[in-house]
Amino acid sequence: MDGTGWRPVKRTRAFEDVLAQIERRIAEDGLTAGDRLPAERHLAEQLGVSRSSVREAMRVLETLGVVSSQVGRGPDAGAVLTSRPDSPLTDLLRLHLGLASLEMREVIDARHMIEQWAAAHAATAGADTSGLAAALAGMDAATSAEEFVEHDIAFHRAIADASGNRLIAAMMRSLRDSMRRYSVEAVQRLGDTSVLRADHVRILEAIGRGDRDEAVRAVSDHLAHAYPSLFR
């Protein structure tokens, strides 16, 4: 290790060693979102690898939602650490749904468990329900299945956000975004969204008055109405 804290890396699959060292520095130096990594040229010199290896590592990290690459000079040079865990997870889930390596039933089951937990904790915490109310108003004004689903996703994201658990919120955003196409198809099959609207009102009111058990029941009933073939 030299005075910069970076260690020369192995020559085989150098970009993987670059990734490992960046992960180590994040853990050991307490780097957080908003911190800047050294510029590409400086990082390559410190690690003893080519700039192409550093560039490949940065592309991987950007795909994972860990860095945002920026072009600049001086203090503005180098990638900035970010925190977007839901973005790569959304892409991963959508691809595996498309490849049929995950079944829709498995995704709905996962959502069922996560959203029941989120609704229960949001109700217990007396969370602000303004985000849910705004999304409900958007659904009422929707003129297409796509627009309805856009606000429906916002409603269920708001439940997860209201739980106060950032990981649960990120997982819910990923689950809902990866299911967007399937959600539109479900709404189109139903045609009449009045049942779904009544479910949303019930969830909103249960969380608003702090009724944990009713919030859990309302979420479960809502998913059964939205995906009846999966809840037989």
Side-chain angles (χ1 to χ4, degrees):
M1 183 185 297
D2 62 18
T4 67
W6 300 100
R7 299 169 180 164
V9 300
K10 300 173 184 178
R11 293 295 175 183
T12 55
R13 299 185 67 83
F15 84 94
E16 293 184 344
D17 291 318
V18 174
L19 289 171
Q21 290 226 42
I22 290 174
E23 181 180 353
R24 179 180 62 81
R25 290 296 297 273
I26 289 172
E28 293 180 0
D29 297 351
L31 299 179
T32 60
D35 289 337
R36 192 179 297 275
L37 295 174
E40 181 184 291
R41 178 172 62 83
H42 293 146
L43 194 54
E45 291 173 353
Q46 291 166 7
L47 293 171
V49 297
S50 68
R51 293 180 67 170
S52 63
S53 294
V54 172
R55 203 172 300 128
E56 188 172 2
M58 291 303 163
R59 280 196 294 266
V60 172
L61 291 173
E62 193 162 13
T63 300
L64 293 173
V66 177
V67 303
S68 175
S69 296
Q70 298 183 3
V71 178
R73 294 178 178 273
D76 293 327
V80 176
L81 293 173
T82 61
S83 180
R84 296 179 290 108
D86 50 306
S87 178
L89 184 54
T90 297
D91 295 339
L92 182 64
L93 286 172
R94 186 172 57 247
L95 284 169
H96 281 285
L97 277 170
L99 292 168
S101 52
L102 284 176
E103 294 182 3
M104 180 55 66
R105 176 69 205 221
E106 294 172 300
V107 177
I108 295 297
D109 282 346
R111 177 185 165 190
H112 190 196
M113 290 183 287
I114 291 171
E115 194 159 3
Q116 282 187 314
W117 187 95
H121 280 71
T124 301
D128 178 15
T129 58
S130 58
L132 283 78
L136 182 59
M139 282 184 274
D140 287 343
T143 58
S144 68
E146 290 80 6
E147 190 178 354
F148 180 90
V149 167
E150 190 69 31
H151 295 291
D152 177 63
I153 288 173
F155 183 91
H156 293 279
R157 282 179 171 179
I159 295 174
D161 290 340
S163 75
N165 185 304
R166 291 176 296 175
L167 180 56
I168 289 293
M171 292 171 68
M172 178 57 73
R173 285 194 296 272
S174 299
L175 284 168
R176 287 311 318 268
D177 285 345
S178 66
M179 292 171 53
R180 188 180 298 267
R181 177 170 66 85
Y182 304 93
S183 298
V184 171
E185 292 172 354
V187 170
Q188 290 172 334
R189 281 195 301 271
L190 286 171
D192 181 7
T193 58
S194 59
V195 172
L196 300 184
R197 186 192 186 282
D199 289 342
H200 288 130
V201 171
R202 182 182 167 197
I203 294 168
L204 170 61
E205 291 179 348
I207 292 175
R209 66 175 179 266
D211 190 336
R212 176 190 182 102
D213 292 339
E214 172 62 7
V216 169
R217 285 192 297 268
V219 164
S220 186
D221 290 345
H222 172 60
L223 289 177
H225 292 151
Y227 302 97
S229 63
L230 300 179
F231 280 81
R232 290 172 181 167

